Amino acid sequence: MKVQDLFEMPEAKRSELPPKYPVARPFFSEMSLKRNHEFIHKGKSHDGKEYWVSIKKDEHSAALGFPGKRADGTFGMDVVALVEFKSPLISSFEDIKVGPNVKQVDQVHVSPVFQQQGWGMNLYAGLASAGYVVISDNTQYFGGIALWKRIAKETMHNQYKVYVIDQGKVRVDSDDNPIFYDGNNIVESELWSDNRDLRYTLFVLKSN
């Protein structure tokens, strides 16, 4: 993939759907988690449900799931959301120091039973709380658009911020202050396009 391809303005895909979630929802056993994953965040949803966020030791993907036992009694994590990261990452941004903690989204999968419940947002927030910087993909399906808007709206109530990146540089206001996207303060036509043009936009979620 060319560097310029990663800076393209997110394109809203109306006729295509993202890859389907695996038919059988993944379950990571305790042994598998210790061998292949690192726990980076534990939290509770608005309704009090406990969840864990783990990142694979090769850092190519991260997952969110519920701790518990499988039918056979094996303890582990029942996975409901997965995110795969692009590799390699863009070599540099003007305003963001690129390092191992910077991850660009390739694909996100949320179990159909748990969609529209905020679990994708909690996965991203868990990564941010652990010090990771999450960068959007340049192609957004409707689900991805809704996810980033929801994340942006939720940042008004927590310690995270969503920045808008234009051609590698953080978008600023007339006083050169970074603009924090809150889900409503930027016209959608300036963020997503139905066809490719000369504007290149990405979203970045990071802790304050």
Side-chain angles (χ1 to χ4, degrees):
M1 181 175 289
K2 298 178 181 178
V3 171
Q4 55 263 37
D5 292 336
L6 296 178
F7 281 118
E8 288 174 351
M9 184 178 185
E11 180 184 7
K13 292 287 190 179
R14 298 183 182 274
S15 60
E16 300 177 28
L17 295 174
K20 293 182 178 180
Y21 193 87
V23 175
R25 196 161 74 235
F27 183 90
F28 296 161
S29 68
E30 185 175 21
M31 183 179 297
S32 175
L33 286 167
K34 288 180 178 179
R35 183 173 61 248
N36 301 316
H37 298 257
E38 177 184 353
F39 285 112
I40 59 173
H41 179 75
K42 293 184 179 181
K44 287 189 176 181
S45 62
H46 293 308
D47 61 1
K49 192 171 184 62
E50 183 183 7
Y51 65 88
W52 295 346
V53 175
S54 68
I55 189 166
K56 230 180 163 183
K57 288 184 178 178
D58 62 13
E59 298 205 340
H60 289 165
S61 64
L64 177 148
F66 309 133
K69 291 184 178 180
R70 200 165 49 189
D72 64 2
T74 301
F75 183 77
M77 185 171 79
D78 185 15
V79 178
V80 300
L82 288 164
V83 58
E84 299 173 19
F85 303 121
K86 289 184 181 295
S87 181
L89 183 68
I90 303 168
S91 59
S92 65
F93 291 101
E94 288 188 39
D95 299 326
I96 296 177
K97 184 178 180 180
V98 173
N101 68 316
V102 178
K103 303 296 180 186
Q104 185 173 32
V105 175
D106 187 17
Q107 296 182 24
V108 183
H109 313 268
V110 179
S111 174
V113 179
F114 293 94
Q115 290 179 3
Q116 307 300 320
Q117 297 178 32
W119 295 113
M121 178 185 67
N122 287 334
L123 173 53
Y124 282 27
L127 286 162
S129 71
Y132 288 92
V133 177
V134 184
I135 302 174
S136 69
D137 190 5
N138 60 296
T139 299
Q140 295 291 329
Y141 298 96
F142 280 170
I145 292 173
L147 175 58
W148 277 100
K149 289 187 70 173
R150 185 168 185 174
I151 290 171
K153 289 178 180 178
E154 285 292 322
T155 57
M156 294 186 291
H157 311 293
N158 56 42
Q159 69 271 34
Y160 316 119
K161 289 287 187 293
V162 174
Y163 300 82
V164 177
I165 303 294
D166 294 311
Q167 298 192 32
K169 192 171 184 179
V170 172
R171 188 179 296 188
V172 297
D173 60 21
S174 57
D175 296 320
D176 285 334
N177 297 314
I179 296 174
F180 304 127
Y181 178 48
D182 65 11
N184 295 308
N185 61 334
I186 300 177
V187 179
E188 288 196 15
S189 61
E190 296 182 8
L191 298 173
W192 293 289
S193 174
D194 285 330
N195 51 58
R196 298 188 182 279
D197 51 34
L198 298 179
R199 293 172 294 175
Y200 306 123
T201 306
L202 295 170
F203 298 93
V204 174
L205 173 68
K206 65 190 298 289
S207 58
N208 293 338

